Amino acid sequence: MRQRYYIEDIGEYVNCEVTLEGWLTGKRSSGKILFLQFRDGTGFIQCVASKTDVGDEAFASADGLTVESSLIVTGVVKEDRRAPGGYELSVTGFKAVQVAEEYPIGRKEHGDAFLLDHRHLWIRSSRQFAILRIRATVISAARDYFDSRGYTMLDTPILTPAACEGTTTLFATDYFGESAYLTQSGQLYNEATAMAFGKVYCFGPALRAEKSKTRRHLTEFWQIEPEIAYADLGDIMDVQEELLSEIVARVLKDRARELGMLKRDTAVLARVQAPFPRVTYTEMVDLLSKNGVEFEWGNDFGADHETVMSRTFDRPFMVTHFPKSVKPFYMEIDPDDERLTLSVDMLAPEGYGEIVGGGQRVTDLATLERSIDEGALPRADYEWYVDLRRFGSVPHAGFGLGIERVVAWICGIHHLRETIPFPRMLNRLRP
Amino acid sequence: MRQRYYIEDIGEYVNCEVTLEGWLTGKRSSGKILFLQFRDGTGFIQCVASKTDVGDEAFASADGLTVESSLIVTGVVKEDRRAPGGYELSVTGFKAVQVAEEYPIGRKEHGDAFLLDHRHLWIRSSRQFAILRIRATVISAARDYFDSRGYTMLDTPILTPAACEGTTTLFATDYFGESAYLTQSGQLYNEATAMAFGKVYCFGPALRAEKSKTRRHLTEFWQIEPEIAYADLGDIMDVQEELLSEIVARVLKDRARELGMLKRDTAVLARVQAPFPRVTYTEMVDLLSKNGVEFEWGNDFGADHETVMSRTFDRPFMVTHFPKSVKPFYMEIDPDDERLTLSVDMLAPEGYGEIVGGGQRVTDLATLERSIDEGALPRADYEWYVDLRRFGSVPHAGFGLGIERVVAWICGIHHLRETIPFPRMLNRLRP
């Protein structure tokens, strides 16, 4: 493929003439000098054109370009400390590709519905650009973490015959005459692949028909889920801690410019280093009570509780040993207290709440069969899963890290809908 | 996390004592010496135990273990050229974790249905192990290719309001009262993200209700789909060629052992180097006719034609300029012949057929609107997509590489169902 230049790498071409292919995001003119705000998908740069350098005709044609017109600009790269990215382009020539119609997204404030309706264009704006570039880095860092440590990536199915995380949020489809459900998590299948490949992970979409309209829920979100054979609760807590530290370090290193665009306080992120605080569910209930929050032992924490809890610590922290009543059937029972499970949630600080959920899985055949029956789950649908306890059962543990929740926290943004290219929520299926 | 040893890295520990955690795959005994075939998910190794070394009791207990029992073995790593992996473990101690029930998959031949019903266990066998490890490497190599070249990974939605690849193979679900369809391809959304991020890719599942029961179709498969702004047909042909060469080189380098387990002829794979042959659709029709295959210009190639074609070349090859009649509405028209499109399919040799499909997309607003109307597609569903031609339209191109088809060809195996952990096909939704 032909040699191309991108704004991201522009620092390598100071005082060289380069051609950039992109779009106009704005312009102003002083009559003889034209300042073009320009983006090419890898960054933003100001292009400065003087009538003397480019000639009257080219100058006039560029002056007539509308916002989001596509444009090829040639010019010399100049270092300029005052410029946002540190560089400017001194233009020697233009070529307009397409003159855009009047662009619907302007400088004025738009409502949420309007922006979401125009998500295919909204993603071009600098804030969305920064968030989604950080998302890509979070995903890449998470995968690299596992790939470099001998985990085998094994995709789990999207279409499944049964529920993994309860039946109230299932999307169903007709599968050649029988009912199939869209996956809510790859975990049960991960347990099968962990018994075959030792250390595994899956990375894929999870679909849950969440009827609640909160800033923390999407109906379609992405999870990375490792599962390890011959591992216990303590082992996966170590993995969680190390994984999150590595993700954050990578974003700090590779996406400093994007964090700056979001005005994110990076001091908070720099503190994300092991060891993370580890507290039990029961200690957490006491802490809520000390903070004047009424909470009955045995209930699940809600978003409000999580918010209170996650303002208590200056870095991510882990809550362990939740009661059986609030965790799924596959969680291993605590051998020291049978009311509890060997489970762990990780919460982000600054009020962000849960970003990781996991634990050790039931090893014993009879215990698992009892759990399935107690949950009134259809035994036939889980026979294959029960088989994993008949043929070489071993202690094993794993977790799921929600990509959008991690991205929202790292970016310091309020609503999950900005952390995914095309968010899906209650009443939001378009574009 | 505690230090652990894996068979994959065993060569680093010659003459050291290590502990391996895994499963027994078979055993034979000479009365005083026990040969245990052992796997830990990263590989297979023979463990040799003498009654003298481990003691009568431990020897007897190990001798009583059934196939697929979980077992922790300690021993000294010995180099042994005769051993399949080059190493053997001279056992000093055992610990049985769980004694397996009678394992349903044995040495005798099983029917396809039986193996697919037991897919959660079948993946433990050495052939499935090799295929799925190669799959993980193919995916990792493909992602690394794009990540290292400045592409931004942006996930496209699973739940969509409209069809991308025709309406006959759509899976539908109720989405809070309206109809949603499961994605068949991320391409239309990739075009939106390419206009925002320049070079993008998505990697995710595609779902198609294929009613045909062939060895080349799954209802659920994974695709990696790049899309590049300011790129044409020639550009993405270069990318296809380079990407596939890099994937194959990586598998040859990192998965030589697994290719050996599959008895794959690697000479064929070593030939996968640019340039790949490039022929037009029309030339291909002539070639079919010369091979005595009847084929009418303007029709689409079927699996049988692809098989004939893909025996013609000794490496992957690209077929370009398909007629409009066989390509979707978004394909750019050939400026030199308006009956043709700027499209390209890549086919694998050895009879494997199509592994990549792509092309340049329509740039012009009026042309796209006409194509949508000619295809009788609901205009309202595509308004956002048409917007990409209103606001800074640029030439752009991309493609989709089908992971399972690439894996099947690299592994040299017949049926796609073995290339994915849990295959979904007509009448196959379990486990």
Side-chain angles (χ1 to χ4, degrees), chain A residues 165 208 210 216-217 280-282 284-285 288 293-307 309 319-328 330-331 339 341 343-347 353-354 356-358 405:
Chain A
E165 294 283 329
R208 297 187 192 175
E210 296 282 358
R216 291 211 239 192
H217 285 96
T280 66
Y281 170 90
T282 304
M284 217 65 240
V285 172
L288 281 175
V293 182
E294 252 183 79
F295 185 87
E296 196 182 337
W297 195 98
N299 286 345
D300 204 358
F301 299 128
D304 292 348
H305 306 121
E306 287 188 1
T307 304
M309 286 151 55
V319 185
T320 65
H321 299 87
F322 286 79
K324 271 170 75 170
S325 50
V326 302
K327 287 291 173 189
Y330 49 70
M331 282 291 181
R339 297 172 309 157
T341 58
S343 50
V344 52
D345 283 1
M346 186 187 281
L347 284 81
E354 188 191 339
V356 177
R405 290 181 172 194

Side-chain angles (χ1 to χ4, degrees), chain A residues 2 135 155 158 172-173 424, chain B residues 135 155 159 172-173 220 230:
Chain A
R2 70 200 156 89
R135 174 190 172 92
D155 299 302
I158 306 304
T173 189
R424 296 293 182 249
Chain B
R135 174 190 172 92
D155 299 303
L159 296 165
T173 189
E220 186 178 308
Y230 286 102

Side-chain angles (χ1 to χ4, degrees), chain A residues 1-2 4 6 8 21-23 39-42 68-72 97-104 120-121 123-124 128-129 132-133 135-136 139-140 143-144 147 150 152-161 171-176 178-180 182 189 192-199 203-205 207 209-211 219-220 222 228-231 235 238-239 365 381 384 387-395 421-422 424-431, chain B residues 1-2 4 6 8 21-23 39-42 68-72 97-104 120-121 123-124 128-129 132-133 135-136 139-140 143-144 147 150 152-161 171-176 178-180 182 189 192-199 203-205 207 209-211 219-220 222 228-231 235 238-239 365 381 384 387-395 421-422 424-431:
Chain A
M1 224 174 120
R2 70 200 156 89
R4 288 182 62 172
Y6 287 97
E8 189 170 26
E21 296 156 298
W23 296 265
R39 65 173 187 87
D40 73 348
T42 73
E68 281 302 320
S69 289
S70 39
L71 178 68
I72 298 172
V97 179
Q98 190 243 351
V99 178
E101 295 179 18
E102 195 184 349
Y103 196 59
H120 55 294
L121 304 175
I123 52 174
R124 301 180 182 187
Q128 302 308 313
F129 169 88
L132 293 175
R133 295 255 294 184
R135 174 190 172 92
I139 292 170
S140 184
R143 294 188 61 120
D144 288 350
D147 284 352
T152 302
M153 204 283 274
L154 293 153
D155 299 302
T156 52
I158 306 304
L159 295 165
T160 65
F171 284 114
T173 189
D174 174 68
Y175 193 81
F176 308 111
E178 63 178 318
S179 284
L182 306 191
Y189 292 95
T193 58
M195 298 306 139
F197 296 84
K199 296 195 288 191
F203 174 68
L207 298 124
E210 296 282 358
K211 281 155 204 96
T219 55
E220 187 179 308
W222 289 70
I228 313 172
Y230 286 102
D235 291 327
D238 294 346
V239 175
L365 175 63
D381 284 345
W384 70 268
D387 268 358
L388 305 177
R389 281 73 184 173
R390 294 190 178 105
F391 307 106
S393 190
V394 303
F422 295 93
R424 296 293 182 249
M425 296 170 288
L426 186 64
N427 304 325
R428 168 61 59 190
L429 180 62
R430 293 182 167 76
Chain B
M1 223 174 122
R2 71 201 156 87
R4 288 182 61 173
Y6 287 97
E8 190 171 27
E21 298 156 297
W23 297 265
R39 66 174 186 87
D40 73 349
T42 74
E68 282 301 321
S69 289
S70 40
L71 178 68
I72 298 172
V97 179
Q98 190 243 353
V99 178
E101 296 179 16
E102 195 184 348
Y103 196 59
H120 55 294
L121 304 175
I123 52 175
R124 301 180 182 187
Q128 302 307 313
F129 169 88
L132 293 174
R133 296 255 295 183
R135 174 190 172 92
I139 292 170
S140 184
R143 294 188 61 120
D144 288 350
D147 284 352
T152 302
M153 204 284 274
L154 293 153
D155 299 303
T156 51
I158 306 304
L159 296 165
T160 64
F171 284 114
T173 189
D174 173 67
Y175 194 80
F176 308 112
E178 63 178 319
S179 283
L182 305 191
Y189 292 95
T193 57
M195 299 305 138
F197 295 85
K199 296 195 288 189
F203 175 67
L207 298 125
E210 296 283 357
K211 281 156 204 95
T219 55
E220 186 178 308
W222 289 70
I228 313 171
Y230 286 102
D235 291 327
D238 293 347
V239 175
L365 175 63
D381 283 344
W384 69 268
D387 268 357
L388 306 177
R389 280 73 184 173
R390 295 191 178 104
F391 306 107
S393 190
V394 304
F422 295 93
R424 296 294 182 246
M425 297 170 287
L426 185 65
N427 304 324
R428 168 60 59 190
L429 179 63
R430 292 183 167 77

Side-chain angles (χ1 to χ4, degrees), chain A residues 116-406:
Chain A
L116 287 166
D117 286 342
H118 292 85
R119 184 66 178 167
H120 55 294
L121 304 175
W122 186 25
I123 52 174
R124 301 180 182 187
S125 71
S126 60
R127 176 180 157 92
Q128 302 308 313
F129 169 88
I131 296 167
L132 293 175
R133 295 255 294 184
I134 289 169
R135 174 190 172 92
T137 299
V138 165
I139 292 170
S140 184
R143 294 188 61 120
D144 288 350
Y145 175 89
F146 294 114
D147 284 352
S148 66
R149 283 169 177 79
Y151 290 74
T152 302
M153 204 283 274
L154 293 153
D155 299 302
T156 52
I158 306 304
L159 295 165
T160 65
C164 173
E165 294 283 329
T167 53
T168 55
T169 63
L170 283 175
F171 284 114
T173 189
D174 174 68
Y175 193 81
F176 308 111
E178 63 178 318
S179 284
Y181 303 98
L182 306 191
T183 181
Q184 300 167 304
S185 156
Q187 187 215 308
L188 303 189
Y189 292 95
N190 271 343
E191 292 184 52
T193 58
M195 298 306 139
F197 296 84
K199 296 195 288 191
V200 303
Y201 74 98
C202 67
F203 174 68
L207 298 124
R208 297 187 192 175
E210 296 282 358
K211 281 155 204 96
S212 53
K213 215 173 174 173
T214 86
R215 67 188 181 88
R216 291 211 239 192
H217 285 96
L218 297 169
T219 55
E220 187 179 308
F221 59 98
W222 289 70
Q223 285 192 111
I224 194 156
E225 299 179 89
E227 189 76 29
I228 313 172
Y230 286 102
D232 62 19
L233 179 63
D235 291 327
I236 57 144
M237 290 172 73
D238 294 346
V239 175
Q240 285 183 17
E241 199 169 70
E242 197 181 34
L243 169 65
L244 199 74
S245 303
E246 200 160 298
I247 290 172
V248 171
R250 175 89 158 263
V251 173
L252 283 170
K253 181 174 151 285
D254 292 351
R255 293 289 170 252
R257 193 179 47 143
E258 285 79 2
L259 290 169
M261 289 167 75
L262 297 170
K263 300 188 171 56
R264 177 61 165 135
D265 175 6
T266 54
V268 178
L269 300 178
R271 274 199 301 272
V272 180
Q273 288 181 3
F276 296 174
R278 299 175 176 204
V279 293
T280 66
Y281 170 90
T282 304
E283 288 165 349
M284 217 65 240
V285 172
D286 292 346
L287 194 145
L288 281 175
S289 147
K290 274 178 202 146
N291 278 274
V293 182
E294 252 183 79
F295 185 87
E296 196 182 337
W297 195 98
N299 286 345
D300 204 358
F301 299 128
D304 292 348
H305 306 121
E306 287 188 1
T307 304
V308 172
M309 286 151 55
S310 76
R311 285 189 178 129
T312 310
F313 298 99
D314 74 343
R315 67 193 66 196
F317 62 100
M318 292 183 266
V319 185
T320 65
H321 299 87
F322 286 79
K324 271 170 75 170
S325 50
V326 302
K327 287 291 173 189
F329 73 96
Y330 49 70
M331 282 291 181
E332 186 69 290
I333 308 302
D334 183 355
D336 298 330
D337 183 343
E338 63 172 24
R339 297 172 309 157
L340 304 179
T341 58
L342 299 180
S343 50
V344 52
D345 283 1
M346 186 187 281
L347 284 81
E350 302 172 89
Y352 276 89
E354 188 191 339
I355 52 175
V356 177
Q360 196 172 324
R361 324 304 188 182
V362 173
T363 308
D364 178 60
L365 175 63
T367 308
L368 182 63
E369 288 181 323
R370 200 165 48 241
S371 281
I372 288 173
D373 291 345
E374 281 169 11
L377 297 168
R379 184 78 86 86
D381 284 345
Y382 294 91
E383 269 313 307
W384 70 268
Y385 180 70
V386 174
D387 268 358
L388 305 177
R389 281 73 184 173
R390 294 190 178 105
F391 307 106
S393 190
V394 303
H396 60 291
F399 61 86
L401 175 143
I403 297 294
E404 289 75 17
R405 290 181 172 194
V406 169

Side-chain angles (χ1 to χ4, degrees), chain A residues 56-75:
Chain A
D56 285 2
E57 201 179 332
F59 191 89
S61 86
D63 203 9
L65 288 178
T66 49
V67 166
E68 281 302 320
S69 289
S70 39
L71 178 68
I72 298 172
V73 190
T74 301

